[in-house]
Amino acid sequence: MAKKIIETDLIKKYPEAILRVRSAEVEKVGHLEKVLFKQMVEIMKVYKGVGLAAPQIGISRRLIVVDAGEGPVFLANPRITKATGTQVLEEGCLSVPGAFVEVCRKSEVTVTGINNKGKFVEIKAEGFFARALQHEIDHLEGKLIIDYMTFDDKIKFGI
Ligand code: CO
């Protein structure tokens, strides 16, 4: 029953306004943020996603979770401090069901932030992991994969 509620109601979907605003900085990773991180990773697992950003569940704060296959990485206030190379690959998004968009991303990124233990961390990522981090950080800026669509794709998708 709980799963049913999650699947029908919890994930915010385009064109909901919260997906289009810049999320607020997190002052610190305290008890509430740790609870949110835990909830986010559980929701991500239910949907078999590789990442989730807080605005996708209606919380306009700079919190993301990414699991590119080696366990979840939790980041508050993630910031890309270095980015090199480019890679193009098709992406989907739980908030934009039915859309698959070729997105050109940086192939290697260094991202800083605060983890779920409240510690400052610096993460070096490449390939798919780097892509997933960039996708979730986009969410915190109110940016969605549809923004990378070509004009023709937008017409096909009906936007
Ligand atoms: Co997404």
Side-chain angles (χ1 to χ4, degrees), residues 51-53 56 91-96 135-136 139 143-145:
L52 193 74
Q56 292 185 277
E91 288 180 20
C93 178
L94 296 175
S95 294
V96 194
H135 178 115
E136 300 314 327
H139 275 299
K143 194 165 186 182
L144 298 170
I145 53 170

Side-chain angles (χ1 to χ4, degrees), residues 81-98:
T81 56
K82 200 177 165 193
T84 54
T86 55
Q87 51 167 331
V88 179
L89 204 74
E90 201 169 69
E91 288 180 20
C93 178
L94 296 175
S95 294
V96 194

